[in-house]
Amino acid sequence: MPKPSIESLRLLALSGLLALPFSAVRPLAAQNTGGATNSAGPAASATGAKGELIADEGYVTPPEAITRLVTTPRDRNVSFTNPSPGARQYFMRPLSDGLPQLKYVGKAHHNLGGFQVDHLANRERALTMRSSVGFEVTEWSTGRKVTVNAPAGARVAAPTWSPDGKEIAFFALYDDATQLWVADAATGKARAASPRTVLATAVTAPEWTADGQSLITVLVPDGRGPEPKEPVLASGPMVRVNEGAKLKTRTYADLVMTPYEKELLAYHMNGQLAVLNTKTRAVRKIGAPGYIRGIDASPDAQYFKVTYVEKPFSYVLQVNEFGTRDVVLDATGAVVREVAKRAMRTGEEPGDAATRGRTAVDTSKRDLKWHPNAPGLLYLQVAPVAARRNGAAGNAPAGAPAARGDSAATGRRNDRLMHWKAPFDSTSAAVLYETANRITATRFNDAGTILFVTEQGTGGTFEQAVFLTENNTKYTVVTPRRGADTTQVRGGFGGRNADGLVTRPGRKGAPVVVVSTDGKFVFRIGSAADSATVQNTWVEKIEIKTGSIARLYESEASLVETISAPLDDDFSKAVIQRESASMVPQSYVLTLASKDAKPLTSNVDLMPELSAAVKKTVIARRADGFQFNVKVTLPAGYKEGTRLPAMFWFYPYEYENQAGYDRAASQNAARERRFPTYGPRSLAFLVTQGYAVVEPDAPIFASEGQLPNDNYVVDLRNNLSAIIDALDTLAIIDRHRLGLGGHSYGAFSTVNAMVHTPFFKAGIAGDGAYNRTLTPNGFQSERRDLWQGRQTYLEMSPFLYADQLNGALLMYHSTEDQNVGTDPINSVRMYHALMGLGKTTSLYMYPYEDHGPIARETVLDQWARWVAWLDKYVKNANQPKAPKAM
């Protein structure tokens, strides 16, 4: 069955079921672009002009003040956090030309079960939509900047440093092809690595070999024919059959629908693994083409772990749930060994889940990856069950010794790190390390002489250092933190271990633990517990063999400081970022011993009108004793006691109790110490139009013996009532001129609030779900299905209470919304119902967009509609209106 076409959506618009912006961009009339309004004065334009804009079928633009905030070039402000590998000499950033243009977002593409393809250019659609115009490379020691321009006629994406940090590989994105290019970091000069066309539909970034001479990627196969054509006449009905299998799935937005789409999927997934020499441009093909989903080459590019998608393809699951097979290929492309096989999920019988879990623990190879310093693979695996002590056979191979630490009483078995060498058979794996604890991560130092193992035991998480060249002598580097010590620890720029040991990219590409040049010390970065007032950041040096700790650096608490990465292995210099609620984030090179900081950036306040806005945090208290925070943003120059029309924007979350909410709120409070940033769709922009913007927490609490959703409607009503009372008491809002909105689950909650409360004159609901019978197997945090929680599903479906809608509801929905559970049919049917009930409503369906629009034209159009809707139904709520249908 074909998916809805743009033409079918046009017909739907003409039938009166939705408003659909397809025409050229049309700005508001001159009198409607005047920017901020006086909070007590009239709207920026006549009501009639607003009404015309609401029904305009072309793309429109909002008032000047909001247009400027939406289109502000946010990439002007730079954050340097990840230095180049090797000598750590450079920083790189993409050069943006602003929000993606509709011509890129709307470029022809296929949606195939969550596998989105720009089929003309043989790449993932996201690469096309989010591409850049080039890259900028900064040498931090001199401040010298070099620009890597996109090749003529192309855009760029997927920049990848070479292991030595001297070159950058990237995809050159032409309208009809994707190619692999390489740029010199010192000069910015770029060259094509090969004239061959890359297939970047599943493998969306190149991979360097450890010597930096070659790139591994997937190419369009030789002799590939034209794309399959859809049959003019269907060959039969759509067929789905289920004979007793129990297969619960979420409500997927997009699935492969027909035999033709299966052909299309195979065509765009079938690629040729290849190694491209960046100097000679020679191409070495590895094996035959296949449905390649992922690649991972050994450092010397003599072996390749490849993930293939397996047939059969499914009509009821998305592509990422299809069966896969992981194999190791040698340099000739011959299959050396199958290392993993995951069947497509076809059903679940009682007991199957538990059985699968036991099988995985007993037999699976975990964290399979190439050894960075020796030939072969590494993997984690629980030791096999030993023979029973009474002589009965266990499930260990014949002759296998009992695992050390095995306990007949508890059934506990050791965990192992295995080194698996070619030919990767059952006899070529050796135990590299074994412990009675659970291994959660492994890393080496860059020389490969020390193995660092993160373990979880009964006492917590800790780090071991195993000296491989000293007869595997083991030292405990970090022990678990206990009690009142709430220090946060985190890893460095090359990766993260649970204990926070700093890592960096190694000389062969894989992350390695940073070890001092004398081989004695490792490092960790941390900060005090998240707090609204204090957040000291520090660097510690830990002696590996003794565990002794020395603090190298501690920041001042007045600023929020992030230490991103060391610039040498002795951590004498580091790249950091500093900011505060009123200070724009800036990057520096910090000398730890002297605390001297050399600025790397000169960022500016891009939105001074929002920085000047008045910000408050208000506590809302419910009658049942629960309380929560409400963030309020008011126009610059706001005078206390001035009641403003207000727009609420929210997204409820579930909590077990007040303490659970308080923990989450504490983390949010710590973020308030940072300089505020605003995305293109931030509701804070409405302060320029004279509104109070209210962004409340909206906790849904579980009561004794119930789940949180069983209280959803009551808690929603109580929350909103408490918020309005609190803000009304402070004389901040005009409680008779209130709007409410949200996106996704916030949209769902918005419509629920409008059918269950009388508080709001208007609502804005985007990409939401309004009928929970359309998500029968669960939604959001709800794990009961419709038949287990029937009453909850029905009570939480605002569609079933559409006749009770209070206020004017604006809905918007992306026609290609890929989010589970928010199929656009929700909005179409809700509009249909509200129209039949005589309610005031509108629906804007945005072509090409996913769950959360990104195109410049779309975002500006949304703002124009929102402002017009709110000005008409909230700001000027008391003005009489004549009935009108469209």
Side-chain angles (χ1 to χ4, degrees):
M1 173 180 156
K3 298 193 175 75
S5 66
I6 295 300
E7 284 307 313
S8 68
L9 290 170
R10 281 185 184 276
L11 292 173
L12 190 54
L14 291 173
S15 71
L17 288 183
L18 53 91
L20 185 62
F22 275 105
S23 308
V25 175
R26 305 179 196 174
L28 273 69
Q31 74 270 22
N32 196 31
T33 58
T37 62
N38 185 293
S39 61
S45 67
T47 303
K50 295 288 186 183
E52 291 170 8
L53 184 148
I54 288 169
D56 195 311
E57 289 191 287
Y59 284 101
V60 293
T61 56
E64 173 84 29
I66 288 183
T67 297
R68 194 197 80 76
L69 292 168
V70 170
T71 59
T72 290
R74 291 165 173 79
D75 69 307
R76 283 174 50 195
N77 280 354
V78 184
S79 176
F80 289 130
T81 57
N82 295 325
S84 58
R88 286 164 269 189
Q89 184 177 1
Y90 302 111
F91 294 98
M92 173 183 58
R93 70 181 183 99
L95 295 175
S96 169
D97 52 354
L99 287 172
Q101 297 176 52
L102 194 66
K103 65 181 180 180
Y104 301 122
V105 177
K107 190 183 177 190
H109 58 277
H110 296 310
N111 287 334
L112 300 168
F115 187 77
Q116 294 191 317
V117 180
D118 176 349
H119 52 86
L120 187 63
N122 297 297
R123 59 178 173 258
E124 182 187 54
R125 183 192 178 206
L127 290 173
T128 297
M129 292 193 296
R130 299 186 179 276
S131 53
S132 303
V133 297
F135 310 107
E136 184 180 76
V137 178
T138 299
E139 186 177 47
W140 64 262
S141 60
T142 65
R144 184 173 66 93
K145 298 181 186 298
V146 171
T147 300
V148 179
N149 293 310
R155 293 172 69 83
V156 296
T160 307
W161 281 108
S162 62
D164 62 6
K166 295 180 178 179
E167 293 186 307
I168 304 164
F170 61 90
F171 286 147
L173 310 179
Y174 297 92
D175 189 59
D176 61 352
T178 304
Q179 291 186 349
L180 193 50
W181 282 57
V182 174
D184 183 274
T187 66
K189 293 181 179 179
R191 66 188 188 280
S194 170
R196 292 290 301 270
T197 299
V198 171
L199 184 75
T201 56
V203 178
T204 56
E207 179 180 323
W208 286 92
T209 55
D211 60 10
Q213 299 297 307
S214 299
L215 288 162
I216 302 153
T217 191
V218 178
L219 302 176
V220 170
D222 292 333
R224 184 176 72 160
E227 181 182 87
K229 300 298 182 185
E230 185 170 11
V232 176
L233 192 65
S235 60
M238 289 179 59
V239 177
R240 307 288 186 269
V241 177
N242 186 69
E243 295 184 312
K246 185 178 181 181
L247 178 60
K248 285 186 177 293
T249 68
R250 301 299 292 267
T251 309
Y252 297 118
D254 178 61
L255 295 168
V256 173
M257 302 295 288
T258 64
Y260 160 69
E261 288 195 346
K262 286 185 177 181
E263 289 182 47
L264 210 56
L265 176 62
Y267 179 85
H268 288 292
M269 190 174 281
N270 191 41
Q272 173 65 62
L273 180 62
V275 180
L276 310 182
N277 187 292
T278 63
K279 304 298 188 292
T280 67
R281 299 179 62 172
V283 177
R284 176 163 58 101
K285 293 186 287 186
I286 308 298
Y291 305 139
I292 299 175
R293 180 175 166 182
I295 56 175
D296 181 18
S298 64
D300 59 5
Q302 294 304 301
Y303 291 97
F304 305 84
K305 184 165 70 72
V306 183
T307 300
Y308 292 103
V309 174
E310 296 270 271
K311 285 188 172 180
F313 296 162
S314 174
Y315 289 132
V316 296
L317 296 170
Q318 291 198 311
V319 172
N320 61 8
E321 294 184 286
F322 288 5
T324 59
R325 183 171 67 110
D326 289 5
V327 301
V328 173
L329 307 180
D330 65 17
T332 71
V335 175
V336 179
R337 188 68 51 196
E338 179 182 288
V339 296
K341 189 176 180 68
R342 289 170 290 276
M344 179 168 58
R345 185 160 56 96
T346 58
E348 181 178 318
E349 298 298 333
D352 276 1
T355 302
R356 282 198 303 272
R358 286 197 302 271
T359 302
V361 169
D362 286 348
T363 66
S364 68
K365 296 177 176 66
R366 308 177 345 254
D367 195 23
L368 192 68
K369 60 187 178 185
W370 294 103
H371 197 306
N373 302 97
L377 288 158
L378 297 170
Y379 64 84
L380 299 172
Q381 189 175 47
V382 174
V385 174
R388 294 178 184 169
R389 297 172 190 256
N390 62 7
N395 65 359
R404 287 171 291 166
D406 180 61
S407 167
T410 65
R412 185 182 65 194
R413 291 149 57 197
N414 286 358
D415 210 2
R416 294 170 165 179
L417 174 65
M418 307 295 292
H419 185 192
W420 198 18
K421 300 179 182 179
F424 307 105
D425 59 19
S426 60
T427 65
S428 58
V431 178
L432 191 60
Y433 177 74
E434 185 169 354
T435 175
N437 299 309
R438 181 75 167 178
I439 301 174
T440 59
T442 60
R443 294 284 191 273
F444 292 84
N445 65 334
D446 206 4
T449 56
I450 308 174
L451 168 66
F452 293 92
V453 184
T454 307
E455 302 182 17
Q456 283 185 344
T458 55
T461 300
F462 54 97
E463 185 79 10
Q464 305 279 22
V466 182
F467 282 71
L468 301 176
T469 57
E470 299 179 14
N471 199 29
N472 281 18
T473 305
K474 181 170 66 175
Y475 301 91
T476 299
V477 181
V478 178
T479 56
R481 293 178 177 267
R482 301 176 184 275
D485 187 349
T486 56
T487 299
Q488 308 295 310
V489 292
R490 56 186 184 275
F493 70 105
R496 177 176 293 187
N497 286 351
D499 70 330
L501 291 188
V502 175
T503 64
R504 63 168 174 81
R507 68 184 189 279
K508 294 187 178 181
V512 298
V513 173
V514 175
V515 176
S516 60
T517 52
D518 61 10
K520 295 181 179 180
F521 299 94
V522 291
F523 307 90
R524 67 177 172 187
I525 302 168
S527 63
D530 285 339
S531 164
T533 56
V534 177
Q535 193 182 32
N536 293 84
T537 301
W538 45 259
V539 177
E540 289 179 341
K541 180 168 75 171
I542 307 171
E543 188 169 14
I544 299 172
K545 292 187 176 181
T546 67
S548 63
I549 298 173
R551 185 153 291 190
L552 295 182
Y553 172 78
E554 185 169 342
S555 71
E556 299 295 330
S558 58
L559 298 174
V560 177
E561 187 166 292
T562 304
I563 302 175
S564 301
L567 292 171
D568 58 67
D569 281 355
D570 290 316
F571 223 128
S572 64
K573 293 183 183 292
V575 56
I576 67 170
Q577 180 173 285
R578 289 174 175 167
E579 64 183 303
S580 72
S582 58
M583 173 182 161
V584 177
Q586 305 287 358
S587 292
Y588 301 83
V589 170
L590 171 73
T591 301
L592 273 69
S594 64
K595 291 192 175 184
D596 290 339
K598 173 186 175 181
L600 287 174
T601 58
S602 300
N603 297 330
V604 299
D605 185 355
L606 297 173
M607 301 178 186
E609 59 268 65
L610 294 187
S611 297
V614 177
K615 302 175 182 67
K616 299 175 179 286
T617 298
V618 175
I619 305 299
R621 293 179 174 85
R622 293 182 358 188
D624 57 10
F626 289 109
Q627 63 182 44
F628 54 93
N629 295 332
V630 180
K631 178 182 175 182
V632 182
T633 307
L634 302 166
Y638 171 79
K639 295 182 179 179
E640 294 292 334
T642 304
R643 294 184 180 274
L644 299 177
M647 180 60 182
F648 291 38
W649 193 263
F650 77 143
Y651 191 104
Y653 288 95
E654 296 82 19
Y655 301 93
E656 288 297 319
N657 48 41
Q658 181 73 53
Y661 166 78
D662 290 343
R663 285 191 295 271
S666 175
Q667 296 175 356
N668 291 334
R671 297 190 191 103
E672 298 300 316
R673 297 187 65 235
R674 297 182 177 274
F675 191 79
T677 57
Y678 303 93
R681 299 171 71 244
S682 172
L683 262 288
F685 296 174
L686 282 175
V687 297
T688 67
Q689 306 304 301
Y691 290 88
V693 175
V694 180
E695 298 171 276
D697 294 341
I700 307 298
F701 291 106
S703 59
E704 187 174 352
Q706 290 186 310
L707 297 174
N709 277 342
D710 294 334
N711 302 318
Y712 172 84
V713 172
V714 173
D715 273 10
L716 189 68
R717 186 166 52 234
N718 290 345
N719 287 338
L720 293 170
S721 179
I723 296 164
I724 294 168
D725 286 346
L727 299 180
D728 183 46
T729 299
L730 294 172
I732 292 173
I733 61 169
D734 177 349
R735 68 185 302 149
H736 301 295
R737 292 190 295 163
L738 302 179
L740 176 69
H743 185 81
S744 190
Y745 200 68
F748 158 77
S749 297
T750 293
V751 183
N752 260 307
M754 293 183 70
V755 300
H756 292 300
T757 75
F759 304 141
F760 301 98
K761 297 295 186 183
I764 297 175
D767 290 354
Y770 311 117
N771 184 347
R772 283 302 167 202
T773 67
L774 298 178
T775 55
N777 292 329
F779 61 91
Q780 200 74 358
S781 63
E782 180 58 65
R783 293 298 172 257
R784 294 169 296 183
D785 64 29
L786 170 61
W787 299 274
Q788 294 167 325
R790 187 190 311 270
Q791 192 60 34
T792 295
Y793 273 68
L794 298 180
E795 288 179 354
M796 292 180 70
S797 295
F799 181 83
L800 302 181
Y801 301 88
D803 60 323
Q804 299 175 191
L805 182 79
N806 294 291
L809 176 62
L810 180 155
M811 292 180 288
Y812 65 89
H813 216 121
S814 301
T815 62
E816 298 187 45
D817 186 352
Q818 298 292 299
N819 186 54
V820 292
T822 55
D823 191 290
I825 196 64
N826 278 273
S827 294
V828 173
R829 292 292 174 242
M830 192 69 180
Y831 181 87
H832 190 213
L834 293 173
M835 183 179 64
L837 291 164
K839 301 293 184 178
T840 298
T841 186
S842 62
L843 172 59
Y844 304 94
M845 302 289 287
Y846 289 95
Y848 319 122
E849 300 283 6
D850 197 342
H851 192 70
I854 62 171
R856 174 190 171 101
E857 292 87 341
T858 300
V859 175
L860 289 172
D861 186 273
Q862 285 188 337
W863 270 111
R865 315 284 180 173
W866 296 353
V867 171
W869 194 260
L870 294 175
D871 280 1
K872 184 174 183 178
Y873 294 109
V874 175
K875 184 180 288 184
N876 301 299
N878 298 323
Q879 294 186 9
K881 306 174 185 66
K884 182 178 180 180
M886 176 184 170

